[in-house]
Amino acid sequence: MSGEYDPATPTHWAYRAAKSLPFAQVVVLRGIGHDVIDSDPCGSEVVADFLANPRRKLKTGCIGRMQAPQFIAAAEEQWQESATQRDAAIRSPKQMRSPFRFRHRTSTSPKKH
């Protein structure tokens, strides 16, 4: 089993491993990262089906019912949260003041020793 968006164990590794394993079947779960079994109930269903009878072709109908990942909605939610935090910081002058003072040299000529 492989997650479509798995950066730790890419899908092409699953196909490579399947070449040398008896009864191997590669199943790619769409919209999932590394945790294919717990990220969606479909992962558990496919694993249970394989363990029940490893020689039989897997039942993978649940993959077609999986929803696409909602990246945009999560990004919008995160943007709204950061906007709320930004607004709070603007209203608080204490947060706007820096505890550090920086002094810059105005002279660009090298020091003479």
Side-chain angles (χ1 to χ4, degrees):
M1 291 187 65
S2 179
E4 179 181 28
Y5 300 123
D6 186 350
T9 53
T11 300
H12 70 272
W13 289 7
Y15 287 105
R16 183 180 294 169
K19 289 179 183 178
S20 63
L21 297 171
F23 317 120
Q25 298 177 58
V26 176
V27 177
V28 179
L29 297 179
R30 296 184 300 192
I32 301 293
H34 185 69
D35 191 9
V36 294
I37 295 174
D38 294 329
S39 294
D40 191 277
C42 182
S44 299
E45 288 177 36
V46 173
V47 168
D49 186 46
F50 176 77
L51 293 175
N53 191 349
R55 295 174 190 245
R56 182 182 66 212
K57 183 171 170 43
L58 292 171
K59 296 175 186 171
T60 58
C62 62
I63 293 174
R65 295 187 302 270
M66 291 178 69
Q67 297 289 325
Q70 301 297 315
F71 296 118
I72 295 172
E76 287 174 1
E77 224 174 82
Q78 190 175 24
W79 176 255
Q80 289 172 352
E81 288 175 11
S82 65
T84 303
Q85 292 170 352
R86 189 174 53 245
D87 292 343
I90 290 171
R91 285 191 292 263
S92 173
K94 186 175 182 179
Q95 288 180 347
M96 291 177 64
R97 280 187 249 140
S98 173
F100 303 105
R101 302 234 183 257
F102 297 99
R103 293 188 180 167
H104 299 280
R105 288 189 178 169
T106 55
S107 172
T108 57
S109 60
K111 286 186 178 182
K112 294 181 182 178
H113 295 290

